[in-house]
Amino acid sequence: MFKKTVLAASVAMLALVPAVHAMDYQGEFGVVLGYLDSDDPDLGTDVLYGADFRYHFDMVPTANVPLAEASFLNRVSSFGVSYVSLDDASLSILDADVQIYHNDLFFSAQVQRLSNGSSLTDYGATIGFFPAESLLLFAGYGRGDGGVDSDFDILSVGAKYVTALEGETALNLLAFYQTRDDAVDSSSLTLAADYYLNHRVSLGARYFHLDDDDVSDSGFGLGTRYFFTPLVSGGLEYEKFDDFESIAAELKVRF
């Protein structure tokens, strides 16, 4: 409760800061630091840290749009890499992807490598289209590394929609569903919404549902992002399940 109260108060204060002018960018670099607390004895408490980088093939215009949604709304192709690690668990995840926009079509390819004593590598590709200006519908297929078990299929579908509201306010909606034909036939559902108080400040809510042969669990999340300048932003994310919670802070710089 204390964490959520502090988060709400911080967002309220940030919304009162004077507006910043838009500035185009091509690259973005970020770092993240988080804390996890789980009732699972195999996880316990741990510290998460990581970094990410994304480079766009063209300059990203930012005028008259929420700064966090500029690349999506302007359909600017890019590639990115990210790395996160859990300290005590000796677990690390390396992701790389490329995203291509061509008229009303969208393509992406992803690879993820998980290391925890041994290494597992998943691959995937996604295709989508824009039936409306800022509405993307997409579907994906991937191949998961089962380690000692056989490899498995990963299927996903989703939608992302950004709409302008009154003045500088806007709303981002995301729905994502994935099934994995792995040893426990797992599936996940993510629903997310971000409300932009203006072009630089957002407040978001998330809902998660995880299901497999062994367990079914739901959770929620809260998040916010604030642009101190057109090129520097900070964010907070909080997630809670029955036996797990986490909080993470992120700092990003554009150039």
Side-chain angles (χ1 to χ4, degrees):
M1 180 62 70
F2 173 75
K3 293 176 182 177
K4 288 182 279 186
T5 302
V6 171
L7 179 63
S10 300
V11 172
M13 289 187 292
L14 292 175
L16 299 177
V17 177
V20 296
H21 299 289
M23 186 177 295
D24 298 347
Y25 71 99
Q26 192 163 13
E28 186 172 48
F29 174 76
V31 293
V32 62
L33 179 65
Y35 174 79
L36 293 76
D37 187 9
S38 174
D39 295 337
D40 187 334
D42 293 332
L43 295 176
T45 60
D46 211 337
V47 174
L48 175 149
Y49 57 89
D52 63 87
F53 172 77
R54 182 161 297 276
Y55 181 81
H56 297 82
F57 302 138
D58 297 298
M59 295 296 291
V60 180
T62 59
N64 303 317
V65 297
L67 292 174
E69 302 291 347
S71 61
F72 172 76
L73 291 173
N74 288 287
R75 305 185 190 181
V76 184
S77 301
S78 65
F79 72 85
V81 294
S82 67
Y83 174 84
V84 295
S85 179
L86 290 174
D87 190 26
D88 292 339
S90 299
L91 169 68
S92 63
I93 301 174
L94 178 65
D95 282 288
D97 74 272
V98 60
Q99 301 179 358
I100 303 296
Y101 296 89
H102 179 70
N103 296 327
D104 289 335
L105 296 179
F106 170 79
F107 308 91
S108 72
Q110 312 90 29
V111 59
Q112 180 183 88
R113 187 172 182 83
L114 184 150
S115 299
N116 184 17
S118 59
S119 296
L120 301 174
T121 303
D122 296 348
Y123 303 89
T126 301
I127 184 171
F129 74 101
F130 287 85
E133 181 64 26
S134 56
L135 171 62
L136 174 64
L137 306 179
F138 57 89
Y141 171 78
R143 194 67 177 164
D145 187 344
V148 294
D149 300 321
S150 59
D151 293 348
F152 54 88
D153 295 325
I154 305 170
L155 302 176
S156 60
V157 293
K160 177 180 173 67
Y161 179 56
V162 180
T163 181
L165 302 176
E166 184 178 358
E168 289 191 356
T169 61
L171 185 65
N172 168 54
L173 300 174
L174 174 69
F176 180 77
Y177 178 74
Q178 182 182 88
T179 63
R180 302 166 69 92
D181 186 22
D182 52 15
V184 291
D185 293 325
S186 58
S187 64
S188 63
L189 171 68
T190 299
L191 301 175
D194 294 289
Y195 176 71
Y196 291 91
L197 286 69
N198 49 50
H199 288 167
R200 69 195 186 283
V201 183
S202 65
L203 177 63
R206 298 80 169 90
Y207 169 80
F208 312 100
H209 183 76
L210 309 176
D211 195 11
D212 60 40
D213 292 341
D214 299 323
V215 66
S216 179
D217 195 8
S218 296
F220 72 92
L222 298 173
T224 183
R225 189 174 181 186
Y226 169 64
F227 280 82
F228 304 100
T229 77
L231 300 179
V232 180
S233 67
L236 285 173
E237 290 283 341
Y238 173 80
E239 295 181 7
K240 178 73 170 76
F241 288 85
D242 287 343
D243 59 354
F244 171 89
E245 67 177 338
S246 67
I247 187 166
E250 183 177 44
L251 179 67
K252 286 183 174 287
V253 178
R254 293 174 169 179
F255 53 91

